[in-house]
Amino acid sequence: MAVRRPRPRYTFLQDESAPQLKASLIMAGLSFLCLLILIVIASVRETGADMVSGAAALAAMLVSWYAFLVSMRELAKRPVNITLAAVSAGVTGLLAIVWLAVLLAGVKAM
């Protein structure tokens, strides 16, 4: 008699795209933390932000855009766990829009 192997109950846990989506959310969180720190620095200093703050903001903005691209690429693959992919795409897209608004506000102020 053959031995029956139990079937896995929760197949959505075997989603291969979850590490990329989690990495995308971590990158978005770091970018958001950098945004908050730079806003506090710019508001505390009398002269505003300097070149180092601008370089850090540019790097954080590029990280958030990359996180958005990663989450959209994973969402286009139609993952099993669509909720995590949609949340990741929404959060990173919103953060990319915020960074773009900050960039355009800074260019306008010059």
Side-chain angles (χ1 to χ4, degrees):
M1 184 170 199
V3 176
R4 262 191 142 178
R5 297 174 80 190
R7 290 185 306 165
R9 285 186 170 177
Y10 305 107
T11 56
F12 64 90
L13 293 176
Q14 299 171 351
D15 188 13
E16 285 84 25
S17 65
Q20 287 86 8
L21 293 174
K22 289 178 185 174
S24 174
L25 284 173
I26 289 171
M27 286 188 287
L30 291 175
S31 179
F32 183 69
L33 182 66
C34 185
L35 176 71
L36 291 179
I37 290 171
L38 290 173
I39 287 174
V40 168
I41 289 173
S43 64
V44 169
R45 294 182 63 181
E46 278 185 23
T47 60
D50 55 351
M51 293 281 259
V52 176
S53 299
L58 182 64
M61 180 177 62
L62 292 175
V63 165
S64 76
W65 287 353
Y66 178 71
F68 177 67
L69 290 176
V70 168
S71 62
M72 288 304 291
R73 188 179 317 132
E74 292 300 320
L75 187 61
K77 288 181 183 177
R78 304 242 184 227
V80 175
N81 192 359
I82 194 105
T83 306
L84 181 62
V87 167
S88 176
V91 168
T92 56
L94 184 66
L95 188 60
I97 290 170
V98 168
W99 272 115
L100 185 62
V102 169
L103 174 73
L104 292 176
V107 168
K108 183 181 176 184
M110 289 177 73

